[in-house]
Amino acid sequence: MRFLNLGLVFGFAAIASAAAIPHTHAVHEKRDTAVAKKWEKRGRLSANARLPMRIGLKQRNLHLGHDLLMDISDPSSPNYSKHWTSEEVIEMFAPEQKTVDAVRAWLIDSGIAPQRLTHSDNKGWLAFDATTEEAETLLLTEYHLYEHVDGQTTAACESYHVPKYIQEHLDYITPGIKLSAPSKRSVKARSASNRIHSSIPFQRATDISTNDDLSQCYNALTPACLRALYGFPETPEYPGGQARTDNSLGIFEEGDFYDQADLDTFFANFTPYIPQGTHPVPAFIDGAQAPVPQYDAGPESDLDLQLSYPIIYPQNVTLFQTDDLYSAYTSRGFLNTFLDAIDGSYCTYSAFGETGNDPIDPVYPDTVWSGGYKGQLMCGVYEPTNVISVSYGGSEADWPTYYQQRQCNEYMKLGLQGTSIFFASGDAGVAGRYGDGNVDGCLGTYGQIFSPGFPTSCPYVTSVGATQINPNSTVYEPESVADYPDWGYSSGGGFSNIYPVPSYQHSAVYDYLQRHDPGYKYYRGNVSLATTDGLYNRSGRGYPDVSANGWNLAVVIGGETGVEGGTSAATPIWASLINRINEQRLNIGKKTLGFLNPALYANPHVLNDITTGSNPGCATKGFPAATGWDPATGLGTPNYPKMLDYFLSLP
């Protein structure tokens, strides 16, 4: 079927405002008026204004993504660890050729010359520039300028129409109904960022033992304490004492930078077997730089590296340092430029109403800051490592849902390729970081509803909570939930408001809620948080999945020795141990572990179950730890000997 001739289309445009839409067309998208509460509709766009039109094509097999990932991640599957290539992933989810042909024919028949059309390399969208008049004629709509309360403007329409036969082939069209302005780019915006690393403040301490004394591990958890706590030997046994060159541990950092002098002091004091000068392999993205002078040392970067190296050495770390200094501090966007750099197809990947980066993400070349990155956005310049640790995050409420869903899909794609991704679960218990959508870290009109974290709630990552050694206890006694009210710190956990309970977690979540129901009112699914009297989504994906110690870990920052903690400490501990196990699997001819959750939920006996403590927030005690999985410590902490035996036994 072909589109109506161009003369008729222009006739339709003239009467679109009177709602005389032909029966051959249907509304494809219409904005919820509540979304525009911070926007003011201004004047009609000039008929000759040029709009960069993108037609997001319906992706193929997105609904199969979950099952495909489970098929290679479930130890009981005959396809376990049969990871895909990046080319296979792109081909699996690319639009069907009939979709490309149908939409292309519609555009050409509507008067868009073939030479004006660009088809993206990953086949996900068709693009062309159009005047406002052409776009309004094509979509039977009107474009207006919308202004956000912060002064930013964008072109958008309230709804648009397409032929009914085309709808099945379209994801969305932009500019369209989406209102998403970039944040104002001012250096002062750093303190307002809702994208933070997940650690509690550094505390100076001068009496930390630098030997293998295990009697003071509660006060300062040294590498020796960690080895005793989780049962891994000081140095891995690798053939010839050499680590592989294809198994570096990936660590993400943004707006926080390590100092080499701090690393060297830490190595000298706590791990003298690690040579001075040991440093990560740089994978700098969009103008990022490191290391920095000691007075600028970042607590997150120093912590991540000083926890990882003692576990994995002589393996190395690949440092994914992201974004120029200006953009790292001022943009609201989070992780998209990193995902661009490790997957070139992500730069132009269409899903959930978005193609490429969102206006809230950094823009390159950086034309605003004189010292900004002047090169093009980096796409596909680095290979993803086998394991990636991310100690940063925020709240689901602080980013658009489509923004989070598109990223979560990317973690699914990386899992298909054999990458294990760990995210910190947050440090505010069942509450979240303060942001646009919450009150004092909690949601709802009165700030009483629990605020789930992002990206840790994505079902295709391994979410890591935090534990602590109890006062007057030793490393040989059970830990409890990390909870320190004086700092407002408690291990993050709860249930997503975006993602449902994944299949691998069904029985664990059901068992917890049946046996250990915390007694709070709840709601189910995607409801209006302004109307519910429930505190959490009973049908949401539960997190964290696992946990590790996140309290009083010995570090050197800015030349001073002290302690730090948070789920940001627990995350690189888990990532490092899995990276170490991957090394041994690779050395005996097996594949990397990839997405871990199905294997862990099916075999929780390889972990140390944590059954005491809770993660308070939003004027509640939060969720209590309990036997089995719980939304405070997940399945538990690492038991390295059991984990190693189990994972080496898998195909």
Side-chain angles (χ1 to χ4, degrees), residues 590-613:
K590 296 186 176 184
K591 299 286 187 67
T592 58
L593 292 170
F595 182 51
L596 287 175
N597 292 10
L600 290 174
Y601 278 87
N603 295 274
H605 67 276
V606 301
L607 305 180
N608 305 312
D609 193 10
I610 306 301
T611 60
T612 58

Side-chain angles (χ1 to χ4, degrees), residues 396 450 452-453 456-459 493-513 522-527 529 535-545 601 623 629-631:
E396 286 183 347
F450 300 168
T456 196
S457 63
C458 170
F495 298 88
S496 173
N497 282 329
I498 296 176
Y499 309 105
V501 181
S503 58
Y504 61 77
Q505 194 186 50
H506 269 145
S507 61
V509 170
Y510 178 83
D511 185 71
Y512 177 82
L513 293 175
Y522 57 85
Y523 51 92
R524 291 188 180 275
N526 185 17
V527 302
L529 298 181
L535 301 187
Y536 70 99
N537 179 15
R538 186 87 164 190
S539 58
R541 183 271 208 261
Y543 73 96
D545 301 300
Y601 278 87
F623 294 107
W629 179 86
D630 57 71

Side-chain angles (χ1 to χ4, degrees), residues 2-85:
R2 295 294 189 179
F3 192 73
L4 299 173
N5 70 57
L6 195 57
L8 288 177
V9 172
F10 274 89
F12 292 156
I15 59 177
S17 59
I21 304 301
H23 66 84
T24 56
H25 286 59
V27 174
H28 191 65
E29 285 191 293
K30 184 177 182 179
R31 186 187 313 114
D32 181 348
T33 55
V35 174
K37 61 184 178 180
K38 293 185 178 181
W39 294 85
E40 186 72 26
K41 185 179 180 181
R42 300 301 187 189
R44 183 95 175 262
L45 286 188
S46 165
N48 294 321
R50 299 199 69 81
L51 298 174
M53 305 300 296
R54 280 189 171 180
I55 313 294
L57 305 175
K58 187 73 72 175
Q59 301 292 295
R60 184 165 48 104
N61 298 325
L62 281 181
H63 64 291
L64 301 178
H66 176 85
D67 291 341
L68 292 172
L69 181 58
M70 296 309 108
D71 186 44
I72 65 167
S73 305
D74 184 344
S76 65
S77 168
N79 292 319
Y80 178 76
S81 83
K82 294 180 180 179
H83 303 138
W84 297 34
T85 66

Side-chain angles (χ1 to χ4, degrees), residues 226 230 232 236 238 247-253 300 303-313 315-318 320 338 385-392 418-425 461-465 545-549 553 566-586 592-597 600 607 636-640 643-644 647:
L226 270 178
Y230 300 133
F232 59 93
Y238 299 144
N247 191 43
S248 181
L249 170 66
I251 290 181
F252 169 92
E253 303 292 349
E300 186 56 63
L303 173 69
D304 288 342
L305 295 173
Q306 290 171 26
L307 282 171
S308 300
Y309 271 116
I311 299 175
I312 66 169
Y313 186 82
Q315 293 175 348
N316 209 344
V317 170
T318 294
F320 293 110
F338 165 62
T385 52
N386 297 327
V387 178
I388 298 173
S389 175
V390 185
S391 294
Y392 295 66
T419 297
S420 305
I421 305 171
F422 294 87
F423 272 96
S425 71
V461 307
T462 300
S463 173
V464 186
D545 301 300
V546 294
S547 53
N549 200 282
L553 290 110
T567 54
S568 61
T571 305
I573 291 173
W574 256 98
S576 297
L577 291 173
I578 294 303
N579 208 71
R580 187 163 162 163
I581 293 174
N582 272 342
E583 184 97 0
Q584 300 201 47
R585 281 182 57 88
L586 291 169
T592 58
L593 292 170
F595 182 51
L596 287 175
N597 292 10
L600 290 174
L607 305 180
T637 62
N639 185 315
Y640 186 76
M643 287 169 50
L644 181 63
F647 285 126

Side-chain angles (χ1 to χ4, degrees), residues 14-326:
I15 59 177
S17 59
I21 304 301
H23 66 84
T24 56
H25 286 59
V27 174
H28 191 65
E29 285 191 293
K30 184 177 182 179
R31 186 187 313 114
D32 181 348
T33 55
V35 174
K37 61 184 178 180
K38 293 185 178 181
W39 294 85
E40 186 72 26
K41 185 179 180 181
R42 300 301 187 189
R44 183 95 175 262
L45 286 188
S46 165
N48 294 321
R50 299 199 69 81
L51 298 174
M53 305 300 296
R54 280 189 171 180
I55 313 294
L57 305 175
K58 187 73 72 175
Q59 301 292 295
R60 184 165 48 104
N61 298 325
L62 281 181
H63 64 291
L64 301 178
H66 176 85
D67 291 341
L68 292 172
L69 181 58
M70 296 309 108
D71 186 44
I72 65 167
S73 305
D74 184 344
S76 65
S77 168
N79 292 319
Y80 178 76
S81 83
K82 294 180 180 179
H83 303 138
W84 297 34
T85 66
S86 59
E87 292 77 15
E88 289 172 333
V89 171
I90 291 174
E91 183 58 32
M92 171 58 69
F93 300 112
E96 291 185 276
Q97 189 59 45
K98 67 177 184 180
T99 288
V100 179
D101 293 342
V103 175
R104 183 179 177 86
W106 165 55
L107 294 173
I108 293 172
D109 285 355
S110 300
I112 307 300
Q115 60 267 30
R116 294 172 60 187
L117 295 174
T118 299
H119 190 195
S120 65
D121 291 340
N122 73 338
K123 307 177 184 179
W125 49 266
L126 289 166
F128 59 96
D129 288 342
T131 65
T132 302
E133 183 177 28
E134 286 180 312
E136 290 182 342
T137 298
L138 178 69
L139 303 177
L140 308 184
T141 189
E142 292 183 356
Y143 279 95
H144 288 254
L145 193 67
Y146 286 79
E147 184 175 4
H148 193 264
V149 291
D150 69 3
Q152 299 296 309
T153 59
T154 191
C157 56
E158 293 183 353
S159 64
Y160 63 88
H161 304 76
V162 298
K164 293 177 181 178
Y165 78 93
I166 284 293
Q167 278 195 290
E168 65 176 302
H169 300 296
L170 297 183
D171 182 5
Y172 70 104
I173 296 176
T174 183
I177 66 169
K178 187 169 67 175
L179 297 172
S180 182
S183 57
K184 288 186 177 180
R185 302 190 78 191
S186 164
V187 174
K188 293 180 180 179
R190 179 182 183 185
S191 61
S193 174
N194 54 356
R195 179 194 65 254
I196 59 161
H197 58 80
S198 201
S199 62
I200 60 174
F202 170 79
Q203 302 166 70
R204 188 171 182 271
T206 58
D207 58 348
I208 297 177
S209 172
T210 58
N211 56 33
D212 290 348
D213 179 15
L214 302 181
S215 65
Q216 298 298 314
C217 290
Y218 170 77
N219 296 316
L221 198 75
T222 64
C225 295
L226 270 178
R227 291 195 298 271
L229 193 61
Y230 300 133
F232 59 93
E234 182 173 79
T235 54
E237 294 181 359
Y238 299 144
Q242 298 295 315
R244 301 177 65 96
T245 59
D246 59 351
N247 191 43
S248 181
L249 170 66
I251 290 181
F252 169 92
E253 303 292 349
E254 185 177 55
D256 185 284
F257 313 91
Y258 83 94
D259 165 55
Q260 186 62 48
D262 284 347
L263 295 191
D264 289 340
T265 300
F266 182 88
F267 296 153
N269 289 345
F270 298 104
T271 55
Y273 57 88
I274 300 180
Q276 296 288 284
T278 297
H279 62 85
V281 176
F284 296 159
I285 299 168
D286 298 330
Q289 297 181 11
V292 294
Q294 196 167 59
Y295 56 79
D296 277 339
E300 186 56 63
S301 297
D302 274 2
L303 173 69
D304 288 342
L305 295 173
Q306 290 171 26
L307 282 171
S308 300
Y309 271 116
I311 299 175
I312 66 169
Y313 186 82
Q315 293 175 348
N316 209 344
V317 170
T318 294
L319 175 60
F320 293 110
Q321 189 82 46
T322 303
D323 294 320
D324 70 36
L325 189 63
Y326 188 74

